């Protein structure tokens, strides 16, 4: 079995896993959970963990209007499994009850029977949509979660090792940390507004003209990652600094 991301078939195992974590950690704080994972040398990120627990909440409560979500990928599922059961295990071990993880399928399915999401929620999440609509949704979700992460931590914690040197130079030459963080928040909010507009446009065209109409919708196919967001923000800031500083940053 090759697992790339969470599917409807694997949903019972995800619900069992994340509920096990939530039951043993009341009032989970993502930043604290990330620190625990880091201490255990489990490779993950604030972004991935936040999306996983947000996704669980959506499965429980249903999708609200304009709410964004992201189906967890293998890397996140593996990280959660390692955190819950130990570093020797991955999500596939939970699904197949292999490598001594010792979690029976019966126990998982019994839990799922008592926690099955509404059919309409499952349909909304796992229904295959045109590539452009799914891509815009993923980009919007990524930007929204980056914004939430930035609002919950300091600028230095957010940029971590992404492009720390370039940000330090910009901060030293131009801005105080709080000013720079405020401008980055505004930059992300603007990007989210544009993506929400693109999402509404794509859904409207698809509703009335089908997949053929989406041919005329232009989108950026690049994956939204934190490094790219920070690079774009720095590019937008270049007009604030002189040519010599720009050369140093490049």
């Amino acid at each position: 079995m090759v697992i790339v991301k969470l599917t409807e078939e694997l949903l019972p195992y995800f619900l069992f896993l994340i509920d096990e974590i939530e039951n043993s950690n009341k009032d989970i704080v993502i930043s604290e959970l990330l620190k625990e994972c880091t201490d255990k040398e489990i490779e993950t990120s604030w972004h991935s963990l936040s999306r996983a627990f947000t996704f669980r909440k959506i499965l429980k409560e249903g999708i609200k209007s304009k709410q964004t979500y992201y189906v967890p990928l293998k890397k996140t599922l593996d990280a959660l499994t390692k955190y819950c059961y130990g570093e020797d295990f991955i999500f596939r071990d939970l699904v197949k009850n292999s490598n001594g993880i010792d979690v029976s399928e019966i126990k998982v399915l019994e839990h799922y029977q008592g926690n099955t999401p509404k059919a309409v929620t499952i349909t909304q999440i796992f229904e295959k949509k045109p590539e452009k609509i799914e891509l815009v949704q993923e980009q919007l979700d990524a930007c929204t979660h980056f914004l939430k992460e930035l609002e919950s931590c300091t600028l230095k914690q957010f940029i971590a090792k992404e492009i720390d040197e370039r940000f330090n130079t910009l901060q030293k030459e131009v801005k105080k940390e709080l000013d720079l963080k405020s401008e980055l928040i505004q930059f992300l909010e603007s990007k989210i507004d544009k993506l929400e507009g693109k999402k509404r446009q794509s859904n409207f065209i698809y509703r009335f003209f089908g997949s053929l109409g989406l041919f005329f919708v232009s989108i950026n196919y690049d994956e939204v990652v934190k490094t790219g967001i920070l690079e774009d923000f720095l590019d937008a800031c270049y007009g604030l600094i002189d040519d010599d500083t720009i050369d140093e940053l490049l």
Side-chain angles (χ1 to χ4, degrees):
M1 172 186 288
V2 177
I3 297 175
V4 177
K5 62 189 290 188
L6 184 65
T7 62
E8 184 176 350
E9 178 187 9
L10 299 173
L11 198 54
Y13 300 92
F14 170 75
L15 291 178
F16 181 84
L17 171 62
I18 205 159
D19 286 354
E20 285 281 282
I21 295 174
E22 288 190 326
N23 289 337
S24 61
N25 296 269
K26 299 298 182 183
D27 300 321
I28 287 179
V29 177
I30 299 300
S31 57
E32 294 177 1
L33 181 60
L34 176 60
K35 185 179 184 305
E36 289 185 56
C37 288
T38 302
D39 291 342
K40 295 178 180 179
E41 298 184 347
I42 298 172
E43 187 178 352
T44 186
S45 67
W46 187 99
H47 182 60
S48 298
L49 294 173
S50 176
R51 290 193 299 190
F53 283 92
T54 297
F55 187 69
R56 173 61 183 109
K57 186 176 181 180
I58 286 173
L59 290 171
K60 185 183 297 183
E61 301 176 358
I63 302 174
K64 299 177 182 178
S65 176
K66 298 183 179 180
Q67 186 172 15
T68 60
Y69 61 88
Y70 191 84
V71 178
L73 300 177
K74 178 184 185 298
K75 185 175 181 180
T76 302
L77 298 171
D78 286 347
L80 292 170
T81 305
K82 290 176 183 292
Y83 174 82
C84 189
Y85 295 106
E87 299 167 28
D88 295 332
F89 302 109
I90 60 175
F91 187 66
R92 184 180 182 277
D93 296 326
L94 176 61
V95 174
K96 303 294 290 185
N97 188 21
S98 60
N99 294 334
I101 198 169
D102 195 26
V103 180
S104 70
E105 183 178 13
I106 293 176
K107 187 175 181 180
V108 171
L109 294 179
E110 285 178 348
H111 175 268
Y112 188 65
Q113 286 179 352
N115 294 273
T116 306
K118 293 181 179 178
V120 64
T121 302
I122 295 177
T123 299
Q124 283 180 282
I125 290 174
F126 293 105
E127 180 185 17
K128 186 65 178 176
K129 299 176 182 176
E131 180 186 18
K132 285 189 175 182
I133 290 180
E134 288 196 339
L135 185 57
V136 171
Q137 180 65 56
E138 290 177 6
Q139 292 173 341
L140 176 59
D141 176 71
C143 288
T144 300
H145 277 84
F146 284 141
L147 176 60
K148 289 180 180 178
E149 179 184 356
L150 178 58
E151 290 174 335
S152 71
C153 63
T154 66
L155 179 65
K156 187 172 183 62
Q157 289 171 331
F158 180 78
I159 64 176
K161 298 178 182 179
E162 300 285 342
I163 44 177
D164 198 23
E165 183 177 349
R166 295 180 64 190
F167 253 92
N168 286 341
T169 302
L170 180 62
Q171 183 178 327
K172 180 179 178 181
E173 296 291 333
V174 186
K175 298 285 183 180
K176 295 180 180 179
E177 180 174 331
L178 289 178
D179 292 337
L180 201 55
K181 178 177 177 179
S182 177
E183 290 197 7
L184 181 53
I185 286 175
Q186 292 177 22
F187 178 81
L188 278 167
E189 288 175 339
S190 176
K191 195 171 187 68
I192 288 170
D193 287 342
K194 291 177 181 177
L195 284 169
E196 285 180 340
K198 182 69 69 174
K199 177 184 175 182
R200 288 193 296 270
Q201 177 195 31
S202 300
N203 284 323
F204 175 83
I205 291 176
Y206 179 64
R207 187 179 304 117
F208 288 98
F209 302 103
S211 298
L212 182 61
L214 292 175
F215 176 79
F216 300 98
V217 177
S218 62
I219 64 172
N220 183 350
Y221 282 88
D222 293 338
E223 181 183 1
V224 176
V225 295
K226 186 186 291 186
T227 301
I229 290 288
L230 296 175
E231 293 280 2
D232 289 345
F233 174 70
L234 286 171
D235 289 344
C237 290
Y238 281 167
L240 301 175
I241 48 186
D242 57 36
D243 293 339
D244 291 338
T245 305
I246 291 175
D247 290 338
E248 291 177 6
L249 291 177
L250 293 173

